[in-house]
Amino acid sequence: MALELLGEHGCFGGVQGFYRHDSKEIGLPMRFSVFVPPQAKQGPVPVLFYLAGLTCNEETFMIKGGAQRIAAELGIMLVAPDTSPRGADIPGESDAWDFGVGAGFYLDATQAPWRKHYRMESYVAQELLQLVLKEFPAHAGRVGIFGHSMGGHGALTLALRHRDVYRSVSAFAPIAAPSQCPWGEKAFGNYLGGDQANWRQHDASALMQQLQTPFPQGILIDQGLSDKFLAQQLLPEAFEAACAQAQQPLQLRRHEGYDHGYYFISTFMQDHLRFHHRILSA
């Protein structure tokens, strides 16, 4: 199918749309959402990709994030893909909430049976990007990425692995060292196999250790201190240490009283959009 419009809504002077298309990378139909700000009527605008977390989909951020008002003010296009393939019919893919459907981890699987359809890195960083640049008034030289939890992991790793694509990166409560936490061990072991050298290529903390100041204008991370996943799953201190080693400017803000959900995310959304706007508009 060509690009199919599933729904469209006026929003803060712009347009919020939901779409479906046949993905060559995934080999299945994929859904995504786009907010086009009013400034796009005058020409291409910066575009910011948001990667959602476990169990979410292409609607979650647009409904819960509270981002469109500020994006309309700043003239930023927002794009949110789904979090995994749907309809691959792989045995066991829907058995757990933290693996398989809704949990693609934004990487290209190398292990059977996942490698045929679970190609989220190539989908997000290449196919979806090119589709958005073709079909929407997005500026190819002004692309940023951010995300939450599994999507924060995705934003950090895709930004570090595709530095020619993304000019800015930030995250909310990212899985910052997935090679060292149960979520990551489960996903990487199944998608990538047992060789942990391959895991490190999709681990933001390990990737940062191999680089030198990849994003000189800084990286922004917000983390709630009442987040029940903080100690066992998220490990922001590992990424903080890697950034110090790599001389990478990092603003890691820790917030008392905030948990892992969208009340936390929406509270600090404006800060992230203004952070990206500053870099993408330079």
Side-chain angles (χ1 to χ4, degrees), residues 105-108 110 121 153-154 156-163 176-179 188 192 195-211:
F105 270 81
Y106 304 104
L107 52 78
D108 290 353
T110 61
E121 176 175 8
H153 141 77
L156 294 173
T157 56
L158 293 189
L160 292 171
R161 287 169 58 84
H162 301 273
R163 299 191 299 283
S179 296
F188 287 5
L192 302 174
D195 186 349
Q196 295 199 12
N198 295 328
W199 298 11
R200 292 177 62 80
Q201 298 307 308
H202 300 275
D203 181 310
S205 297
L207 286 168
M208 183 62 75
Q209 290 171 355
Q210 304 168 24
L211 301 170

Side-chain angles (χ1 to χ4, degrees), residues 20-264:
R20 178 169 56 200
H21 73 115
D22 281 332
S23 166
K24 292 181 180 178
E25 288 290 350
I26 302 297
L28 294 164
M30 288 292 288
R31 296 182 183 230
F32 66 98
S33 58
V34 180
F35 172 71
V36 179
Q39 292 86 342
K41 296 172 186 174
Q42 278 72 55
V45 295
V47 56
L48 186 55
F49 284 77
Y50 179 89
L51 306 183
L54 294 164
T55 75
C56 297
N57 60 30
E58 76 286 351
E59 295 183 326
T60 311
F61 164 70
M62 297 300 187
I63 294 172
K64 295 183 176 182
Q68 291 95 332
R69 178 176 64 85
I70 303 301
E73 174 193 325
L74 299 175
I76 296 175
M77 184 181 299
L78 302 172
V79 179
D82 202 350
T83 53
S84 78
R86 310 272 173 171
D89 296 327
I90 297 172
E93 70 172 353
S94 299
D95 288 355
W97 67 273
D98 57 357
F99 178 75
V101 173
F105 270 81
Y106 304 104
L107 52 78
D108 290 353
T110 61
Q111 304 299 300
W114 311 101
R115 64 190 176 203
K116 181 178 180 181
H117 296 298
Y118 278 69
R119 297 181 48 79
M120 291 298 293
E121 176 175 8
S122 292
Y123 175 69
V124 172
Q126 298 174 29
E127 184 179 15
L128 181 59
L129 171 64
Q130 293 306 314
L131 179 64
V132 168
L133 293 176
K134 177 185 176 185
E135 299 287 346
F136 299 88
H139 194 302
R142 297 181 174 182
V143 181
I145 191 167
F146 68 150
H148 166 237
S149 193
M150 176 186 72
H153 141 77
L156 294 173
T157 56
L158 293 189
L160 292 171
R161 287 169 58 84
H162 301 273
R163 299 191 299 283
D164 58 328
V165 172
Y166 303 108
R167 282 178 53 183
S168 59
V169 58
S170 71
F172 299 93
I175 305 174
S179 296
Q180 304 174 43
C181 76
W183 280 341
E185 291 168 356
K186 181 177 184 177
F188 287 5
N190 283 283
Y191 291 142
L192 302 174
D195 186 349
Q196 295 199 12
N198 295 328
W199 298 11
R200 292 177 62 80
Q201 298 307 308
H202 300 275
D203 181 310
S205 297
L207 286 168
M208 183 62 75
Q209 290 171 355
Q210 304 168 24
L211 301 170
Q212 192 74 15
T213 322
F215 288 89
Q217 296 188 74
I219 295 173
L220 172 62
I221 293 178
D222 280 305
Q223 175 62 60
L225 293 180
S226 294
D227 188 326
K228 66 181 181 180
F229 302 115
L230 175 57
Q232 187 178 24
Q233 302 282 14
L234 304 181
L235 311 179
E237 63 279 0
F239 189 71
E240 189 173 36
C243 285
Q245 177 182 319
Q247 296 183 300
Q248 168 61 52
L250 171 67
Q251 191 177 10
L252 173 53
R253 308 192 302 184
R254 295 171 168 91
H255 304 280
E256 293 282 356
Y258 287 91
D259 60 21
H260 197 67
Y262 271 84
Y263 296 112
F264 154 64

